Amino acid sequence: MSGELPANINIKEPRWDQSTFVGRANHFFTVTDPRNILLSNEQLENARRVVHDYRQGIVPPGLTENELWRAKYIYDSAFHPDTGEKMILIGRMSAQVPMNMTITGCMMTFYRTTPAVLFWQWINQSFNAVVNYTNRSGDAPLTVNELGTAYVSATTGAVATALGLNALTKHVSPLIGRFVPFAAVAAANCINIPLMRQRELKVGIPVTDESGNRLGESANAAKQAITQVVVSRILMAAPGMAIPPFIMNTLEKKAFLKRFPWMSAPIQVGLVGFCLVFATPLCCALFPQKSSMSVTSLEAELQAKIRETYPELRRVYFNKGL
């Protein structure tokens, strides 16, 4: 290996210690940085080339360690960790803040009529379906039929939940009514994520030992992965959907918004965006990306296979998705 860099920098793993919340938060603040969506295809391909070359022992002259890590995080932000394919732009975690702040801000501004609720919840769940598919775990592709069925069932179930909750709150105070979008999003996440990732629940996701050696596929690991993602997504939405209603409820009583009612949506979008800048990486960091579980929690058949080959192995690892 030539060049200035040592050969033993492990860029398969994040730069920061993933056993601590602070290390995971640093990692996700970098991965979810909205500026990453502005990178050109040329920059993305260059980052991929640097990462792939380094893994094979090839280092361009003059490449520094910081430049290597920057290339690694650009690569991680745009390419799927299991398949290596370039992810859909709006499905990347770096697009979460700009996309969610716009959609959530509009959901929380236009929540009073059924057509508005229907439209914005459909937009939101369609976006969520793209994100959930893009950030799935594993490398088994969904067929067009499976993807179509998952999308229709996920969005229909989520939108129906939102409309049902909206109908239940017709006679409550305006402040409580403002929380309907959050309740709908929380309930919808419990429907959308498992449905868009249903193949993982059927056939399992790849599990490995600590060194990355593939041991098989586990549906039990998929259940744990999807549960962790659902919890993270609900908590990710919470600050942006729970704090602005109090602020907007107060502002709408003031002369400024009475005089300029059209400012309500931009203010709401800005408030949600501010919350999401912090909530997105911090909630992604709640659970390690490389999640793990005890061998004894796996399916009996897979346990037997692992004990035959690796009798001393106690834990297996898997990508939980995002």
Side-chain angles (χ1 to χ4, degrees):
M1 184 173 188
S2 61
E4 301 170 7
L5 291 179
N8 58 352
I9 299 175
N10 185 9
I11 58 170
K12 289 184 179 179
E13 300 294 333
R15 189 172 194 175
W16 296 276
D17 180 7
Q18 296 299 284
S19 66
T20 69
F21 176 75
V22 172
R24 294 195 296 272
N26 278 325
H27 168 69
F28 282 111
F29 266 108
T30 307
V31 170
T32 64
D33 186 340
R35 291 174 297 180
N36 288 338
I37 62 172
L38 302 175
L39 297 171
S40 66
N41 278 332
E42 186 182 347
Q43 289 172 300
L44 296 179
E45 290 301 328
N46 182 59
R48 174 157 69 171
R49 187 170 58 253
V50 169
V51 168
H52 283 192
D53 284 353
Y54 184 82
R55 286 173 179 169
Q56 293 170 22
I58 304 165
V59 182
L63 184 72
T64 66
E65 185 173 346
N66 282 338
E67 288 170 344
L68 175 65
W69 281 112
R70 174 62 181 153
K72 181 254 192 312
Y73 273 102
I74 290 174
Y75 176 81
D76 285 354
S77 76
F79 296 90
H80 193 277
D82 292 328
T83 66
E85 66 186 19
K86 189 181 290 181
M87 295 185 285
I88 303 163
L89 181 65
I90 64 169
R92 299 172 195 169
M93 292 311 289
S94 51
Q96 282 285 289
V97 172
M99 291 297 297
N100 266 329
M101 67 184 280
T102 305
I103 296 170
T104 305
C106 289
M107 275 199 302
M108 295 174 68
T109 303
F110 309 111
Y111 67 93
R112 292 182 175 90
T113 65
T114 299
V117 170
L118 187 63
F119 176 74
W120 285 107
Q121 285 292 341
W122 171 70
I123 290 290
N124 185 51
Q125 292 312 319
S126 296
F127 169 64
N128 283 343
V130 172
V131 173
N132 296 335
Y133 173 73
T134 304
N135 293 282
R136 67 198 182 281
S137 176
D139 49 14
L142 278 172
T143 66
V144 174
N145 281 342
E146 286 174 328
L147 188 57
T149 303
Y151 168 72
V152 171
S153 53
T155 51
T156 302
V159 170
T161 303
L163 291 173
L165 286 168
N166 202 49
L168 290 173
T169 57
K170 291 292 184 187
H171 306 294
V172 298
S173 72
L175 179 59
I176 293 175
R178 286 182 179 278
F179 286 95
V180 169
F182 173 57
V185 165
N189 271 328
C190 297
I191 299 168
N192 196 316
I193 295 171
L195 283 173
M196 286 305 295
R197 294 177 61 174
Q198 60 184 282
R199 183 180 175 84
E200 297 172 36
L201 295 169
K202 291 175 186 173
V203 304
I205 58 175
V207 294
T208 69
D209 61 15
E210 199 167 7
S211 302
N213 299 308
R214 191 160 175 164
L215 305 170
E217 286 74 37
S218 169
N220 288 356
K223 289 174 190 172
Q224 178 175 308
I226 289 170
T227 300
Q228 290 177 344
V229 170
V230 169
V231 171
S232 293
R233 291 284 190 83
I234 291 173
L235 293 176
M236 194 185 294
M241 301 190 83
I243 296 170
F246 289 106
I247 298 171
M248 293 306 297
N249 209 49
T250 302
L251 289 177
E252 285 184 357
K253 294 172 185 174
K254 305 291 184 186
F256 177 75
L257 277 186
K258 287 180 179 177
R259 188 177 174 189
F260 303 105
W262 58 271
M263 283 294 294
S264 181
I267 291 172
Q268 188 111 252
V269 168
L271 288 170
V272 171
F274 179 77
C275 293
L276 283 172
V277 164
F278 299 97
T280 300
L282 293 177
C283 290
C284 283
L286 289 174
F287 305 101
Q289 182 65 38
K290 186 180 178 181
S291 198
S292 69
M293 68 192 307
S294 168
V295 171
T296 56
S297 299
L298 298 170
E299 295 85 342
E301 188 180 328
L302 184 55
Q303 284 187 49
K305 179 184 172 185
I306 291 172
R307 284 185 178 133
E308 209 173 280
T309 317
Y310 302 95
E312 301 300 316
L313 195 66
R314 296 289 175 265
R315 295 194 75 76
V316 294
Y317 299 84
F318 50 91
N319 169 32
K320 70 174 174 62
L322 284 172

